[in-house]
Amino acid sequence: MAANLGVNVESLQSSIVYSSTRKISGVSNTKNPNFCYKAKPTSFLTPNKFSSPSLALKGVESKRVIEKNCRDFSVSSGGNEAGGLTYKDAGVDIDAGSELVKRIAKMAPGIGGFGGLYPLGDSYLVAGTDGVGTKLKLAFETGIHETIGIDLVAMSVNDIVTSGAKPLFFLDYFATSHLDVDLAERVIKGIVDGCQQSDCALLGGETAEMPGFYADGEYDLSGFAVGIVKKESVINGKNIEAGDVLIGLPSSGVHSNGFSLVRRVLAQSGCSLTDKIPGEATTLGEALMAPTVIYVKQVLDVIAKGGVKGIAHITGGGFTDNIPRVFPKGLGAVIDKDSWPVLPVFKWLQEVGRIDDGEMMRTFNMGIGMVLVVSPDAALKILGDANGATPMYRIGEVKTGEEVSYR
């Protein structure tokens, strides 16, 4: 029966407005128009440009921020061969996560991509789900809550656009021990902003109040997005071949991955989130809380030019683990490490944490949040058209051999 079903994006989006609901655990379900948003196109955030007053640290005036050198400290224990920190030291085992994915794949074959595809007529529905991780801890410390919702939306919509899908709608889950209505409103405002940036509808969500489950003043977030792409237009990496070009799109900072290691570096550095990054005007808190770039509109515009064969969202696992996810067997990549500007926050993290290059490239996005795999001819056109406000970088190429190397 599914083969006989069609889907009209415009009619589907139109119907969304009338079916939105947000369920609050412990409270009767009610339809609430305040939690339904019919998105309008808007430009996404320009990396490292912060104009919102909400990005000022709570209770801190910029003129009173003390700039000090936060680089001089010693790692007391753990780390790699050079004595520096690793993601595993911070409590996150990427290898264990990969092993779990392999085991799940035996039970549910076909998983492992950035988004799940479900056939619907001549199209695929593409779904992705994620949270914000321990970046929330920094939100609690800095008092910056208005942009964490952007991170939440970004983690899902950036995943599903890797298939060439246009996001249709997003649903969120907000959980806390005691509901602070004003705080929750600030968080959900960020979710609305994220939906605007990705041109999708906030269809609804759930607010769960669970006394005693979270520390006072803290909350957790998760959500998922659903998009759509025509079957003949889906991007799946099957046609990638050696010699294809890797194009990187700049990030705004750490985005929403690697914060367990970030927090470990902070804890051992003796630095405060109100301290400035040496040589920079921004504080550590401002740099680390920079909202994740939502790449949806930019990526869909590039796809329309033709020649895009695969797309990798650079999240947990960094370059080393994420780029190969879009390659056919037998292919890998060589990355030119000096082909884009590494953001100061990553330089600070590496220097202060004494983190080696391999660990950095497997943990953080290093200033590149999305990688497009394109044919050489398409690369010339795409890069030639990228002379506007948003830069793109040729960061490497596809090669034979199943590994990512750096030069």
Side-chain angles (χ1 to χ4, degrees):
M1 295 297 291
N4 297 322
L5 294 175
V7 61
N8 182 292
V9 177
E10 295 299 324
S11 63
L12 180 56
Q13 286 188 326
S14 177
S15 67
I16 285 171
V17 177
Y18 304 103
S19 62
S20 173
T21 182
R22 183 176 188 86
K23 182 164 67 69
I24 302 179
S25 296
V27 183
S28 60
N29 295 351
T30 56
K31 290 189 176 182
N32 187 341
N34 293 327
F35 291 99
C36 179
Y37 184 83
K38 185 65 169 67
K40 296 180 181 179
T42 185
S43 59
F44 57 86
L45 292 176
T46 302
N48 295 324
K49 300 294 184 182
F50 307 111
S51 58
S52 171
S54 66
L55 288 176
L57 297 183
K58 181 175 66 175
V60 178
E61 297 178 9
S62 59
K63 65 182 180 181
R64 297 178 60 189
V65 172
I66 300 173
E67 182 173 7
K68 71 178 183 181
N69 189 333
C70 290
R71 293 171 291 184
D72 300 327
F73 84 105
S74 298
V75 178
S76 58
S77 63
N80 51 40
E81 292 180 359
L85 290 172
T86 67
Y87 207 9
K88 192 171 184 177
D89 292 331
V92 179
D93 189 340
I94 297 176
D95 292 325
S98 299
E99 174 61 25
L100 178 60
V101 171
K102 291 178 182 177
R103 295 187 187 187
I104 295 173
K106 295 178 182 178
M107 298 180 282
I111 72 164
F114 290 96
L117 278 65
Y118 185 85
L120 185 67
D122 61 354
S123 301
Y124 285 112
L125 292 180
V126 185
T129 185
D130 212 333
V132 181
T134 58
K135 187 173 185 176
L136 285 173
K137 288 288 188 180
L138 297 190
F140 305 149
E141 293 179 36
T142 62
I144 299 173
H145 300 281
E146 290 83 357
T147 57
I148 202 74
I150 296 175
D151 293 298
L152 180 66
V153 175
M155 295 305 291
S156 289
V157 297
N158 284 345
D159 272 352
I160 67 175
V161 79
T162 62
S163 298
K166 180 194 180 303
L168 296 174
F169 57 84
F170 182 85
L171 284 91
D172 70 272
Y173 174 79
F174 177 96
T176 186
S177 285
H178 174 71
L179 182 60
D180 181 331
V181 176
D182 292 336
L183 177 61
E185 181 183 30
R186 292 165 64 191
V187 173
I188 294 170
K189 180 184 182 301
I191 296 173
V192 172
D193 288 345
C195 289
Q196 282 185 296
Q197 293 179 34
S198 53
D199 195 18
C200 72
L202 177 57
L203 189 60
E206 180 172 12
T207 300
E209 189 170 19
M210 299 182 288
F213 200 81
Y214 299 94
D216 289 344
E218 296 190 359
Y219 56 85
D220 197 11
L221 287 174
S222 63
F224 72 90
V226 175
I228 193 166
V229 61
K230 292 290 186 181
K231 287 182 176 177
E232 68 268 18
S233 301
V234 69
I235 294 174
N236 53 27
K238 291 182 178 180
N239 297 324
I240 294 175
E241 56 190 1
D244 284 339
V245 175
L246 305 180
I247 294 179
L249 308 184
S251 72
S252 59
V254 185
H255 282 184
S256 298
N257 293 99
F259 274 89
S260 294
L261 181 52
V262 167
R263 290 169 52 240
R264 182 68 177 270
V265 173
L266 277 169
Q268 296 197 23
S269 70
C271 294
S272 165
L273 290 169
T274 59
D275 293 328
K276 290 183 180 179
I277 297 175
E280 300 295 318
T282 57
T283 66
L284 284 167
E286 290 168 336
L288 293 171
M289 287 300 296
T292 305
V293 175
I294 291 179
Y295 295 99
V296 170
K297 295 177 183 179
Q298 184 183 13
V299 168
L300 292 178
D301 285 345
V302 173
I303 290 173
K305 301 178 187 297
V308 177
K309 298 182 177 182
I311 306 174
H313 184 198
I314 308 304
T315 56
F319 288 77
T320 305
D321 288 356
N322 282 296
I323 293 177
R325 292 170 66 180
V326 303
F327 291 162
K329 289 185 177 180
L331 295 179
V334 56
I335 306 294
D336 297 313
K337 293 192 296 182
D338 296 327
S339 58
W340 74 89
V342 175
L343 300 176
V345 67
F346 295 113
K347 295 179 180 179
W348 181 86
L349 286 166
Q350 182 167 20
E351 183 176 356
V352 173
R354 301 214 310 260
I355 306 170
D356 69 28
D357 288 346
E359 191 72 16
M360 291 293 294
M361 300 300 284
R362 199 187 180 199
T363 305
F364 301 112
N365 66 61
M366 300 300 291
I368 296 293
M370 191 77 80
V371 174
L372 312 180
V373 186
V374 305
S375 66
D377 290 342
L380 292 174
K381 177 174 175 53
I382 292 169
L383 293 170
D385 292 343
N387 294 322
T390 304
M392 299 182 188
Y393 305 98
R394 177 173 177 150
I395 66 168
E397 61 188 36
V398 181
K399 65 174 185 177
T400 56
E402 295 183 352
E403 74 279 337
V404 177
S405 60
Y406 302 93
R407 63 189 179 191

